[in-house]
Amino acid sequence: MNPSTPLTDEPAPRDQEGNPLFQNPEAYLELRQKSGFLGAMKVWSERRALFSCLDKLSGVKTMLDIPCGPGRAFPYYHERGFHVVGIDFSPQMSGAATAFRGKLGIPGIVCRGDAFRLPFEDNAMDTVVSVRFSYYFDRQKRIELYKELSRVSKQGFVVQVKIDYSLHSISRKLRGKNKNKDKFMQSKREIHEEFAAAGLKVRRIAPLSLLGSDRAFVLVSLN
Ligand SMILES: C[S@@+](CC[C@H](N)C(=O)[O-])C[C@H]1O[C@@H](n2cnc3c(N)ncnc32)[C@H](O)[C@@H]1O
């Protein structure tokens, strides 16, 4: 398969389609990848939380990174020797991820596609990871997303969510820093309840940092 071939004829418009940041991989990476001690801490905490979920799964060989953006998380999967399939809606992002995958020498493929209509058969992947994505959508859409991820995953998957109980989240709320972003935060109870509504069971919630982040990885198994 040619990695630059769109896998969906005409991807449906989604909330994020028009975001100019997602048409500019360099600007996105500049925003996301901080240098110095702070940057190293962010990578360390993201990696630690992600692996604490992935390492609970056994026999993972093939995984889907959806949406992969410019492939920011590829080095984590490379460490585990996974065969990586990256999908992103944005041609610029999937182009950058294709180049990055080649540079790292990771086995796999990157394509354009829609997270809500994945171009795979049921159980095509050993697992799926979704970073910095689900919390852009409302509850109904998130449940739709979780059902689609569970359809293609053999043994559960990992999704990043925003939590309302880290010190970082509580302080943001108290300061009324960004009401629009804060509305996506969820309590533990809400997280369990929402995945249950998608027919899934939460196995682990791994906050990136209870001090410095409002995000957590959730490992879910298929009921
Ligand atoms: C915040 S970025 C996250 C990228 C990557 N997971 C990371 O952690 O850096 C969100 C990405 O979602 C992609 N996107 C938005 N809607 C999508 C959809 N319906 N299907 C697939 N990708 C989508 C955007 O193009 C963008 O690259």
Side-chain angles (χ1 to χ4, degrees):
M1 192 183 345
N2 179 348
S4 62
T5 304
L7 284 182
T8 48
D9 305 336
E10 176 123 46
R14 299 286 173 200
D15 307 24
Q16 298 185 55
E17 194 190 8
N19 189 332
L21 192 59
F22 300 151
Q23 292 155 22
N24 189 339
E26 293 80 24
Y28 175 75
L29 284 173
E30 202 171 310
L31 190 76
R32 287 288 155 254
Q33 293 180 325
K34 300 286 178 222
S35 55
F37 180 71
L38 189 65
M41 281 301 290
K42 278 177 182 266
V43 171
W44 180 83
S45 59
E46 185 173 61
R47 179 184 174 282
R48 186 189 54 87
L50 176 62
F51 283 170
S52 80
C53 292
L54 283 177
D55 290 347
K56 291 221 167 298
L57 301 172
S58 55
V60 174
K61 292 197 175 73
T62 307
M63 54 97 40
L64 169 67
D65 181 0
I66 176 76
C68 62
R72 193 182 61 82
F74 285 0
Y76 303 139
Y77 314 133
H78 192 30
E79 258 189 73
R80 286 291 185 268
F82 296 156
H83 179 110
V84 178
V85 178
I87 297 263
D88 201 284
F89 204 76
S90 146
Q92 294 86 356
M93 287 293 202
S94 54
T98 300
F100 191 44
R101 188 192 68 76
K103 191 173 154 198
L104 292 175
I106 302 177
I109 191 168
V110 175
C111 308
R112 275 190 74 202
D114 184 352
F116 294 83
R117 286 191 299 148
L118 290 168
F120 305 113
E121 293 183 355
D122 297 359
N123 305 321
M125 302 288 154
D126 290 328
T127 192
V128 177
V129 177
S130 181
V131 190
R132 288 184 170 273
F133 188 58
S134 72
Y135 47 74
Y136 286 98
F137 301 97
D138 64 22
R139 177 188 150 86
Q140 197 190 335
K141 221 72 221 116
R142 283 196 300 264
I143 290 175
E144 191 188 319
L145 175 71
Y146 300 155
K147 285 184 175 166
E148 182 63 351
L149 303 189
S150 69
R151 184 184 68 75
V152 301
S153 178
K154 270 190 204 128
Q155 52 161 327
F157 56 89
V158 180
V159 177
Q160 198 173 72
V161 301
K162 281 199 183 237
I163 51 173
D164 71 358
Y165 54 91
S166 75
L167 211 60
H168 183 80
S169 325
I170 295 165
S171 116
R172 279 184 72 96
K173 271 196 177 164
L174 289 176
R175 286 178 292 149
K177 204 167 172 225
N178 184 339
K179 291 212 169 70
N180 186 37
K181 275 191 180 166
D182 293 350
K183 80 178 180 206
F184 299 111
M185 291 176 181
Q186 294 179 291
S187 67
K188 271 187 195 164
R189 189 188 53 76
E190 285 166 340
I191 293 169
H192 280 269
E193 189 275 325
E194 191 167 296
F195 281 102
L200 298 157
K201 192 171 176 359
V202 172
R203 278 180 67 186
R204 181 179 181 80
I205 302 178
L208 272 61
S209 152
L210 281 173
L211 285 179
S213 173
D214 58 1
R215 289 175 296 124
F217 284 105
V218 180
L219 170 66
V220 295
S221 57
L222 319 176
N223 264 338

